[in-house]
Amino acid sequence: MRVAIIGSGPAGFYAAEALLKRADALVEVDMFDRLPTPYGLVRGGVAPDHQKIKTVARVFAGTAARPTFRFLGNVQLGRDITVADLRRHYHQIVYATGNEADRRLGIPGEGIARCTPATVFVGWYNGHPDYRKAQIDLSVPRVAVVGNGNVAVDAARILLRTPAELERTDIAAHALEVLRNSQVREVFILGRRGPEQAAFSPAELKELGAMAAADPVVAAEELAQCAASTGDAETDRNLKILRAFAARAPRAGTKKLHLRFLVSPTEILADAKGGVAGLRLEQNRLEARPDGTLAARGTGETELLEVGMVLPAIGYAAERIAGVPYDEKARIIANQDGRVVDPVSRAVIANEYVVGWARSGPQGLIGEHKRASADVVGHMIADGAGLAPRALPGRDAIVSLLRERGVQPVSFSDWKRLDDAEVARGARRGAPRDKIVDVEAMLAVLGQR
Ligand SMILES: Cc1cc2nc3c(=O)[nH]c(=O)nc-3n(C[C@H](O)[C@H](O)[C@H](O)COP(=O)(O)OP(=O)(O)OC[C@H]3O[C@@H](n4cnc5c(N)ncnc54)[C@H](O)[C@@H]3O)c2cc1C
Ligand SMILES: NC(=O)c1ccc[n+]([C@@H]2O[C@H](COP(=O)([O-])OP(=O)(O)OC[C@H]3O[C@@H](n4cnc5c(N)ncnc54)[C@H](OP(=O)(O)O)[C@@H]3O)[C@@H](O)[C@H]2O)c1
């Protein structure tokens, strides 16, 4: 069986491994990625000061070393190849394209200068080629980060780390330069619900209390309504950490990270030059939904928070890809249990599957994709066993097709050369790597330009 996997993030690699290690099926995998570099958000999302998490890439490199695996980087589905091409050249297709679009607050002022979605800010500091030219202006003293998830925590931490803390990481050189000159002194993380509903992981929250020159600030009254024990271990750990933050006095002269709860932005205000000047916030209360969960409801009481930059970190969504069924409501690839379906009739589209965030939306850690992708591979093998054998064009025909179209696929050994070049560049600043952030420059290193 020959399988195309589109996307080389964790979900795609775990699906490849599950396919390639099966003893009951001989599978050839071609993994495509729109970037010349593999690993998806492990490279472009995970924070630069979290190097240990990125070592999972070694596991993926082990999969890539399998003899029937092939990486075709720098090939975008919907631009360089079509779903029809894939159907012709492969028995089965797996979409592992993640969630690369951002969600919007939907309030007046969104989109003005210095209102920067987390997708852009994170992509910029991580050297994602799409965002290398993002205008990130850190000449302002106060920044609001909207959202109570781990991405909000990442963004706030990167804004508050010292250059010394960042230069030994693989942060993009352009971002390090701007952060060196940053005027940001105070960051506000704003949750629309309460501390008990926050989505932070305890480890991420705790790390906010261990920055070299910045301290968390939590007002005791923010925690006054919280239960002593919620019955949920993670929430209890978060509350314990927040209480410890509230009890400690921030060091004099440090930058401050304020954690505020039960507030929603209702309007982003602009200065005379059209950049962010403030954020109108509405106080919320919690209201039970019919399913028992708690929703934030505005009380009508408002305040103005003077900030010069707003970073909404309120979640991601799947991009639409031409020819791939899209669920408009959930903003994922339309599927039933990982089998792609028509979004209207819900009829299964044979031989097409989806894994990872493109399947389930933007929740979950890297390791969680291992089991989830393997489950979908289980469907693929079961469905494949019932199919009549179908002769395909030769394995290299897809490469010839791409070359005819002027596309230059990047192989895994090409990536290893880029990897070596980045690691060598990084050694000059004592960092694990210094990323090449421009696709043309990557191709130049490979001698393809
Ligand atoms: C900012 C951030 C930080 C995170 N930090 C952590 C962390 O510290 N620890 C942790 O466990 N989890 C973390 N996560 C979660 C983790 O990154 C995700 O669970 C995981 O990466 C999702 O895997 P995926 O394979 O579905 O998508 P992705 O990792 O996004 O991979 C999708 C891949 O598809 C490619 N692609 C997209 N469209 C196309 C196309 N049309 N054609 C070809 N290729 C395409 C992309 O280039 C990309 O390589 C973080 C997430 C974010 C957003
Ligand atoms: N270090 C790590 O391990 C790490 C780092 C980064 C990301 N990740 C993972 O990646 C996934 C995505 O993280 P994420 O932070 O993007 O998403 P997330 O965990 O879903 O958090 C999104 C936050 O945005 C809030 N929000 C949504 N819409 C909003 C609105 N209109 N106004 C105000 N707030 C709004 C949500 O509040 P409600 O709860 O009220 O909806 C929630 O607090 C998570 O699984 C996360 O754990 C992990």
Side-chain angles (χ1 to χ4, degrees), residues 259-313:
L259 289 127
R260 294 206 40 202
F261 299 94
L262 287 168
V263 283
S264 279
T266 56
E267 184 184 2
I268 298 169
L269 303 158
D271 60 18
K273 289 186 183 158
V276 172
L279 196 55
R280 175 112 34 225
L281 296 179
E282 182 173 15
Q283 192 69 40
N284 292 331
R285 62 184 166 74
L286 294 177
E287 193 179 281
R289 298 188 187 101
D291 66 0
T293 58
L294 294 169
R297 291 278 173 265
T299 61
E301 192 185 323
T302 65
E303 66 174 286
L304 178 65
L305 184 67
E306 280 183 29
V307 287
M309 182 178 192
V310 178
L311 278 168

Side-chain angles (χ1 to χ4, degrees), residues 45-47 50 53 103-105 146-154 157 190-193 197-201 204 263-265 289 294 296 313-316 357 362-365 368:
V46 172
H50 284 175
I53 292 167
R103 290 179 185 265
R104 295 283 156 137
L105 286 165
V146 184
N148 263 187
N150 286 327
V151 173
V153 170
D154 277 355
R157 209 180 55 249
L190 306 174
R192 64 177 168 182
R193 298 193 290 159
Q197 290 77 41
F200 316 129
S201 307
E204 311 307 309
V263 283
S264 279
R289 298 188 187 101
L294 294 169
I314 58 168
Y316 290 58
W357 277 13
Q363 287 121 32
L365 301 180
E368 293 171 41

Side-chain angles (χ1 to χ4, degrees), residues 24-40:
D24 58 346
L26 182 58
V27 185
E28 293 172 338
V29 169
D30 281 357
M31 178 179 279
F32 295 84
D33 203 288
R34 69 187 185 89
L35 296 181
T37 54
Y39 309 143

Side-chain angles (χ1 to χ4, degrees), residues 7 9-11 33-34 40-41 45 53 77 96-97 100 356-357 364-366 369:
D33 203 288
R34 69 187 185 89
L41 285 169
I53 292 167
L77 176 62
T97 43
E100 299 200 314
W357 277 13
L365 301 180
I366 292 162
H369 297 292

